[in-house]
């Protein structure tokens, strides 16, 4: 990706590759420091340069290890993976010897996340990166004495590689043009008399309701989901009479399907 790159699909940030260029110096399950882990050592197009890399999605700094220029990051919200699945992403970057972040810091998608470097145990300027699906932050040594996450996964399975120059890394790379969104519908059953809807910018509580939908009157209502908000508790829909609104769907009788029920 390039600095400033942003991409939202179906209301979710797409997980982009944080590097503008990838020259792989050590790959997953390699000898020594990568034994038994899905980790990548990546330098830029020219060796010896402390290139910037960028936030692949909007992330929060969870932990900082200054001695190794290492930071644990986690997406603020669920994100879209190149596989089409949706979940949180947790990842570790290391060797930034120009480290200037703090625990709790939020960095938005496309903003500078760090620099390649040699802080800690490193040979040559590069960034060490490991990716993990979900919010689990376990960071423990494996039987080869290498630290790893519990739910590690390969870069080419999770990240869209748009605007990344891949010099010498192989994989089944995916790009935003390859993504085929799955259309989903929210279905409000016919036994419900009324269902509140809200403007997109308000908190979905009773006093903020803009009006009501009437599933019983129409023997059930189905709407295409345009996206999610409020930590996935509400979905965005387009209505005939009220325009684009959101409705609360968490822990309700609303059914989410890949086809309309009504």
């Amino acid at each position: 990706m390039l600095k400033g790159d942003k991409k939202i699909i179906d209301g979710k940030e797409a997980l982009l590759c944080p590097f503008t260029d990838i020259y792989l110096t050590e790959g997953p399950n390699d000898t020594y420091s990568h034994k038994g882990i899905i980790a990548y050592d990546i330098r830029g197009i020219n060796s010896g340069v402390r290139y910037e890399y960028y936030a692949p999605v909007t992330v929060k700094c969870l932990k900082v290890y200054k001695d190794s220029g290492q930071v644990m990051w986690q997406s603020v919200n669920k994100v879209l993976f190149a596989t089409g699945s949706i979940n949180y992403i947790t990842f570790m970057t290391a060797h930034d010897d120009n480290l200037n972040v703090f625990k709790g810091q939020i960095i938005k998608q496309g903003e500078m996340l760090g620099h390649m470097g040699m802080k800690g145990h490193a040979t040559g300027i590069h960034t060490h990166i490991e990716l993990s699906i979900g919010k689990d932050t376990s960071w423990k040594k494996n039987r080869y004495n290498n630290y790893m996450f519990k739910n590690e996964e390969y870069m080419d399975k999770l990240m869209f590689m748009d605007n990344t120059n891949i010099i010498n890394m192989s994989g089944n790379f995916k790009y935003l043009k390859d993504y085929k969104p799955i259309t989903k519908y929210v279905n409000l059953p016919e036994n419900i008399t009324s269902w509140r809807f809200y403007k997109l910018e308000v908190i979905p509580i009773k006093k903020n309701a803009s009006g009501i939908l009437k599933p019983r009157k129409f023997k059930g209502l189905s709407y295409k989901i345009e996206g999610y908000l409020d930590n996935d508790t509400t979905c965005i829909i387009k209505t005939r009479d009220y325009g684009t609104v959101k409705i609360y769907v968490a822990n309700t009788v609303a059914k989410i399907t890949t086809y309309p029920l009504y």
Side-chain angles (χ1 to χ4, degrees):
M1 68 185 292
L2 301 176
K3 186 176 183 178
D5 279 353
K6 299 177 183 178
K7 187 61 180 179
I8 296 178
I9 301 177
D10 295 338
K12 302 292 182 189
E13 288 182 333
L15 184 66
L16 306 177
C17 176
F19 306 104
T20 301
D21 301 287
I22 290 180
Y23 187 103
L24 189 69
T25 59
E26 186 176 358
N29 302 304
D30 209 334
T31 57
Y32 187 53
S33 63
H34 289 195
K35 189 80 169 176
I37 62 176
I38 303 176
Y40 300 81
D41 284 353
I42 293 170
R43 71 161 172 85
I45 191 168
N46 295 309
S47 63
V49 180
R50 288 172 166 80
Y51 289 103
E52 294 180 354
Y53 51 91
Y54 310 104
V57 290
T58 299
V59 294
K60 182 177 183 179
C61 174
L62 300 185
K63 299 178 183 179
V64 179
Y65 306 82
K66 291 185 178 180
D67 290 344
S68 54
Q70 191 168 333
V71 185
M72 184 183 292
W73 306 95
Q74 189 171 92
S75 60
V76 172
N77 298 300
K78 290 182 178 180
V79 302
L80 175 67
F81 296 137
T83 56
S85 61
I86 294 171
N87 207 330
Y88 289 90
I89 184 72
T90 303
F91 62 99
M92 189 76 77
T93 57
H95 305 314
D96 186 349
D97 44 21
N98 192 28
L99 197 61
N100 187 27
V101 298
F102 57 88
K103 183 178 179 181
Q105 183 175 3
I106 303 292
I107 298 182
K108 294 181 180 180
Q109 186 181 43
E111 294 180 346
M112 191 190 76
L113 195 67
H115 293 85
M116 298 179 180
M118 290 185 62
K119 191 75 171 179
H121 299 291
T123 302
I125 292 172
H126 70 278
T127 293
H128 175 103
I129 186 169
E130 295 180 50
L131 307 171
S132 178
I133 297 173
K135 297 184 75 173
D136 189 283
T137 58
S138 300
W139 184 244
K140 299 179 179 179
K141 287 184 177 181
N142 64 10
R143 59 185 175 136
Y144 303 108
N145 207 37
N146 292 322
Y147 280 98
M148 64 178 294
F149 287 112
K150 184 183 294 184
N151 302 310
E152 291 191 342
E153 189 51 275
Y154 292 91
M155 284 180 65
D156 62 315
K157 287 190 176 181
L158 298 183
M159 290 182 159
F160 293 97
M161 306 302 287
D162 294 67
N163 290 331
T164 294
N165 174 31
I166 303 169
I167 300 169
N168 69 336
M169 186 170 76
S170 61
N172 182 22
F173 302 116
K174 299 178 180 65
Y175 298 85
L176 291 166
K177 65 180 177 58
D178 301 321
Y179 175 68
K180 307 299 183 198
I182 299 173
T183 301
K184 292 187 178 182
Y185 296 85
V186 57
N187 303 279
L188 309 180
E190 58 183 321
N191 64 333
I192 301 297
T193 304
S194 63
W195 202 287
R196 297 182 187 90
F197 64 84
Y198 306 85
K199 294 180 179 179
L200 301 184
E201 65 272 15
V202 305
I203 299 172
I205 56 178
K206 185 177 180 179
K207 69 177 183 179
N208 290 337
S210 297
I212 59 171
L213 304 171
K214 300 177 180 180
R216 178 175 291 177
K217 178 180 178 180
F218 298 98
K219 296 184 179 180
L221 291 169
S222 295
Y223 297 96
K224 179 184 174 182
I225 297 174
E226 306 293 336
Y228 289 89
L229 292 170
D230 310 311
N231 292 319
D232 298 335
T233 61
T234 63
C235 61
I236 303 169
I237 61 173
K238 288 183 179 179
T239 66
R240 184 191 64 186
D241 298 326
Y242 309 110
T244 301
V245 298
K246 66 181 180 182
I247 58 174
Y248 187 78
V249 295
N251 303 317
T252 68
V253 295
K255 293 182 178 179
I256 309 297
T257 60
T258 56
Y259 54 89
L261 296 179
Y262 306 107

